[in-house]
Amino acid sequence: MFSAPDSYPIDLPTFHSEINLPYTLTPGRAAGTFLAEVKNRRIVASRFASGQVVAPAQDFSSTGGEEPEAFVEAPQTGVLTAFTRVDGQVIGFIRLDGCDNDFPHRILADLDDISIGQRVEAEWDDSVEQSILAIKGFRIAPDAPVGAVKPLVATEEPLGVIPYAMKLDYEHAYGPYYGRMFDEIRENGRFMGVRSPGSDVALLPPREIDDVTHSRTGTWKACADTGTIRGCSIINMEVYGQTRKVPYVYAEIVLDGASTRMIHVIEIDSLEEAKEKIKPGTRVRAVWTQGERKGRVSDIERFEVIEG
């Protein structure tokens, strides 16, 4: 019998990982026009029938819900109405001259030199286009004259889509349970779970507390790399970011010796074959990747149907 999990160290090393989400934004007519015009050093605002002027330009009024009657050019000067410091930078609300809302942006000054009511003026970054960051920020300008809202006779075509990406870097700590599981996958090519209290079936992935009884789990147990499908879905449509060629099956598999489901994929040659062979109750076997294992679930290339 394998020893209890708490006999393993808890101060295991972390590994670096990231969440990277590339996608495209559709800004709409108003924001798209604002972003298209920043290369011309113009701040585009929306003017509504009520006389309200809002910058950056908006497709609908936040108070009445109506569409704007026109796009106008807002002044590049205004008054600081609020500010805070975030990650070493000063972010402020600026009431641009002639506008009825606050324009959030970076303030190009030290926190000790800033006070509410100060006059500010936009400073531009010539190296940036199609982004609000084409405005480098607002600098303190006590002598800046009060500007006026101007009509816009013609504007650039609004941007239709904007490439965008969100990236989150973090350090992930496996701990003694996941650490042992992934170590066993890398070193021995086997799945290790922990026994439920008073039972010989294993929880996989392993965990300290049983989900049902809320009691501490027991000793380690090696599970087989064969199992039974308990739920599945045939994937036959391509979507952005997909790393595996369709069609394939996304399956929930209970490995022999375990009581919980592992999610993985089953490659198929055709939809007809999948409909015939793959369903709850089908027996499957893990196919391990060739070469050096990394200690990840992806060390299992796929599962295959056990014939007969």
Side-chain angles (χ1 to χ4, degrees):
M1 180 176 290
F2 294 104
S3 57
D6 58 12
S7 65
Y8 286 83
I10 62 173
D11 55 342
L12 300 177
T14 62
F15 76 97
H16 181 78
S17 190
E18 67 178 37
I19 298 174
N20 200 339
L21 304 174
Y23 57 97
T24 55
L25 296 174
T26 52
R29 185 174 71 97
T33 302
F34 169 85
L35 293 170
E37 280 290 339
V38 291
K39 68 180 181 182
N40 300 322
R41 291 195 170 190
R42 296 201 291 191
I43 300 176
V44 175
S46 295
R47 186 182 66 215
F48 297 93
S50 63
Q52 183 185 47
V53 176
V54 175
Q58 302 294 318
D59 283 311
F60 301 96
S61 168
S62 61
T63 55
E66 72 271 17
E67 296 184 17
E69 63 177 16
F71 290 140
V72 294
E73 182 180 356
Q76 300 179 21
T77 54
V79 175
L80 185 64
T81 60
F83 60 89
T84 187
R85 181 165 57 193
V86 178
D87 195 24
Q89 300 185 46
V90 179
I91 305 299
F93 280 169
I94 301 100
R95 182 66 60 94
L96 296 175
D97 296 333
C99 293
D100 297 287
N101 70 313
D102 290 329
F103 188 102
H105 214 295
R106 183 185 303 148
I107 306 300
L108 305 176
D110 293 331
L111 194 65
D112 295 338
D113 299 329
I114 299 174
S115 61
I116 291 176
Q118 285 179 309
R119 296 283 296 164
V120 293
E121 185 174 18
E123 185 173 314
W124 296 82
D125 187 339
D126 294 331
S127 66
V128 179
E129 292 186 358
Q130 300 183 349
S131 168
I132 196 170
L133 296 180
I135 303 173
K136 186 176 181 180
F138 285 80
R139 58 182 175 83
I140 305 301
D143 299 325
V146 176
V149 175
K150 303 176 184 177
L152 276 176
V153 177
T155 63
E156 299 280 349
E157 283 293 318
L159 298 184
V161 295
I162 305 171
Y164 197 77
M166 181 181 295
K167 182 180 178 182
L168 175 63
D169 293 285
Y170 62 96
E171 297 297 323
H172 186 87
Y174 278 143
Y177 291 85
Y178 275 37
R180 174 77 186 277
M181 179 184 72
F182 288 118
D183 283 348
E184 291 283 353
I185 289 175
R186 183 183 66 246
E187 300 298 332
N188 301 312
R190 66 179 177 182
F191 301 101
M192 295 291 291
V194 289
R195 289 177 172 85
S196 300
S199 173
D200 192 45
V201 294
L203 299 172
L204 187 71
R207 62 209 75 173
E208 182 179 5
I209 302 297
D210 180 85
D211 308 75
V212 177
T213 66
H214 304 291
S215 303
R216 283 185 62 88
T217 49
T219 52
W220 290 99
K221 178 181 179 179
C223 299
D225 61 0
T226 56
T228 303
I229 295 176
R230 295 304 184 194
C232 57
S233 179
I234 299 174
I235 310 300
N236 63 347
M237 294 181 61
E238 293 186 359
V239 297
Y240 182 79
Q242 209 165 18
T243 59
R244 189 177 294 268
K245 186 178 179 180
V246 298
Y248 61 89
V249 174
Y250 185 79
E252 296 180 351
I253 301 163
V254 176
L255 296 179
D256 297 333
S259 62
T260 50
R261 303 182 183 194
M262 166 182 280
I263 299 175
H264 218 289
V265 298
I266 303 170
E267 289 189 355
I268 56 176
D269 294 326
S270 68
L271 296 177
E272 290 71 23
E273 178 191 31
K275 293 176 183 178
E276 178 183 347
K277 294 183 178 181
I278 300 176
K279 55 191 174 183
T282 299
R283 296 283 294 161
V284 292
R285 177 189 296 108
V287 177
W288 296 85
T289 56
Q290 299 298 313
E292 181 184 1
R293 291 188 291 266
K294 304 295 185 181
R296 304 170 183 169
V297 174
S298 57
D299 286 336
I300 307 158
E301 180 182 313
R302 66 187 188 280
F303 279 78
E304 63 181 7
V305 174
I306 299 174
E307 301 289 350

